[in-house]
Amino acid sequence: NSKKAWVNIMYGCDEFCTYCIVPYTRGKERSRLPEHILSEVQELIDNNYKEITLLGQNVNSYGNDFTDRDYRFKDLLNDLYQMDIPRVRFTTSHPKDFDEETVKILAQGGNLMPYIHLPVQSGNNDILKRMNRKYTKETYIQLVDWIYKYIPNASLTTDIIVGFPSETESQFQDTLDLVKRSRFEGAYTFIYSPREGTPAAKYEDDVTHEEKKDRLNRLMALVNDGYLVGTQRFEGKIVKVLVDGTSKSRDDVLAGYTENNKLVNFKGSQDLIGEIVEVKVTEAK
């Protein structure tokens, strides 16, 4: 057991991004009461868990639906920061609700990990509007700038869709530009495909498949560069690794993730599984 757990903090989604079916299938956003979440985390601590990941379609809107209390995602992070769990992560963040105050709370460090998955989807304002993402390239970059200002060591990853209906080459260039600017250390990249029942499925899918593939390949080349930079900055450094288990091919090689969510393989005995150990990084790939 790698001693990692996932804790739902909310269900449903109110965002209605035009390409996504989730709000139609999972209903309105409903936040779990903080006391229920915190007691579940306490139970995990009592069972010697080392890491929790908070789950929600948009964790940053946590608590917006409470009518009897003023308690938001940043308050939850603050409460978890004071608990005896070594690592706290969360997914997925929506850039529109992620404010400077939340970044400052994460900047306390401790058990709040310096890794943020922050889906951008596109770097062009017209496409973002057609996606109904409710932020602009400028407000996204402002958020990225806050993250690097308050958490200089942060690792950022993202999600990007290429070839959204009507995306032009120059709009795609805006995405490449944002990727460079944001210094992502990894991204999930997708070619747009229509999902039945979503508003975007009615848009004319006017980008050719060849063009979509070409854009994806150019984007992936850039993302892979960022990925390498992200791993190379830890070369020669000592990192803390939560050991998940042995590598697939060898029993004497252990594998686990650093605080910045980088996978590390190293030689060690199996009784380290489930522990957090210090490892010196000799080579980055």
Side-chain angles (χ1 to χ4, degrees), residues 7 22 30 33 46 51 53 87 97-98 107 110 122 144 154 158-159 169-170 177 180-181 196 202 226 261 264-265 276:
V7 177
V22 165
R30 308 174 299 289
L33 292 173
D46 296 341
E51 178 177 302
T53 301
R87 292 184 167 191
D97 298 307
F98 205 137
S122 167
V144 167
T158 197
D159 295 340
E169 172 61 28
S170 91
D177 180 54
K180 287 181 201 144
R181 177 79 205 264
E196 208 179 315
K202 297 190 177 72
N261 212 36
V264 177
N265 289 284
I276 294 173

Side-chain angles (χ1 to χ4, degrees), residues 98-109 112 146 149-151:
F98 205 137
D99 59 8
E100 187 177 11
E101 215 180 317
T102 304
V103 179
K104 284 180 171 171
I105 283 167
L106 288 170
Q108 297 173 114
L112 304 177
W146 281 330
K149 173 182 168 188
Y150 295 113
I151 317 167

Side-chain angles (χ1 to χ4, degrees), residues 5-241:
W6 285 262
V7 177
N8 273 300
I9 65 169
M10 60 203 297
Y11 304 97
C13 188
D14 293 346
E15 295 312 326
F16 292 95
C17 302
T18 55
Y19 50 79
C20 180
I21 201 77
V22 165
Y24 305 95
T25 57
R26 301 205 190 155
K28 278 185 72 60
E29 268 172 16
R30 308 174 299 289
S31 301
R32 286 181 66 198
L33 292 173
E35 49 270 36
H36 293 174
I37 296 167
L38 297 171
S39 72
E40 185 179 331
V41 172
Q42 188 53 55
E43 208 171 304
L44 291 165
I45 293 169
D46 296 341
N47 285 301
N48 200 25
Y49 275 78
K50 299 283 197 293
E51 178 177 302
I52 56 162
T53 301
L54 309 175
L55 297 180
Q57 294 294 330
N58 170 7
V59 292
N60 305 90
S61 67
Y62 173 80
N64 289 357
D65 54 326
F66 292 149
T67 51
D68 62 337
R69 63 182 82 197
D70 183 20
Y71 189 96
R72 296 289 182 273
F73 186 55
K74 49 183 173 259
D75 302 303
L76 181 62
L77 288 175
N78 230 352
D79 283 343
L80 291 166
Y81 172 67
Q82 294 163 64
M83 290 180 77
D84 198 18
I85 182 96
R87 292 184 167 191
V88 176
R89 301 188 187 279
F90 50 89
T91 197
T92 286
S93 292
H94 196 299
K96 85 174 189 18
D97 298 307
F98 205 137
D99 59 8
E100 187 177 11
E101 215 180 317
T102 304
V103 179
K104 284 180 171 171
I105 283 167
L106 288 170
Q108 297 173 114
N111 60 2
L112 304 177
M113 295 292 99
Y115 166 76
I116 300 170
H117 184 63
L118 194 63
V120 70
Q121 309 302 359
S122 167
N124 174 267
N125 285 342
D126 292 330
I127 296 293
L128 287 170
K129 199 165 182 170
R130 279 173 69 83
M131 289 176 165
N132 194 34
R133 290 292 287 173
K134 306 179 188 127
Y135 53 82
T136 63
K137 177 182 190 174
E138 291 74 22
T139 59
Y140 185 91
I141 285 172
Q142 170 66 82
L143 173 55
V144 167
D145 287 348
W146 281 330
I147 290 168
Y148 288 133
K149 173 182 168 188
Y150 295 113
I151 317 167
N153 185 39
S155 292
L156 274 185
T157 58
T158 197
D159 295 340
I160 295 168
I161 296 169
V162 303
F164 193 76
S166 84
E167 182 187 64
T168 64
E169 172 61 28
S170 91
Q171 289 174 325
F172 172 66
Q173 288 294 335
D174 287 346
T175 296
L176 294 182
D177 180 54
L178 181 121
V179 169
K180 287 181 201 144
R181 177 79 205 264
S182 303
R183 312 204 298 275
F184 295 123
E185 298 183 357
Y188 296 105
T189 55
F190 308 91
I191 283 180
Y192 171 77
S193 60
R195 200 69 176 277
E196 208 179 315
T198 61
K202 297 190 177 72
Y203 300 168
E204 191 194 342
D205 194 1
D206 53 2
V207 185
T208 67
H209 188 66
E210 290 70 37
E211 185 57 44
K212 285 178 185 171
K213 265 171 73 173
D214 180 59
R215 286 179 195 173
L216 185 72
N217 289 335
R218 285 183 285 154
L219 174 63
M220 279 165 60
L222 195 59
V223 166
N224 286 339
D225 291 346
Y227 199 100
L228 187 59
V229 168
T231 51
Q232 280 175 338
R233 71 191 180 100
F234 294 100
E235 221 168 44
K237 300 220 165 78
I238 291 171
V239 293
K240 291 189 172 125
V241 177

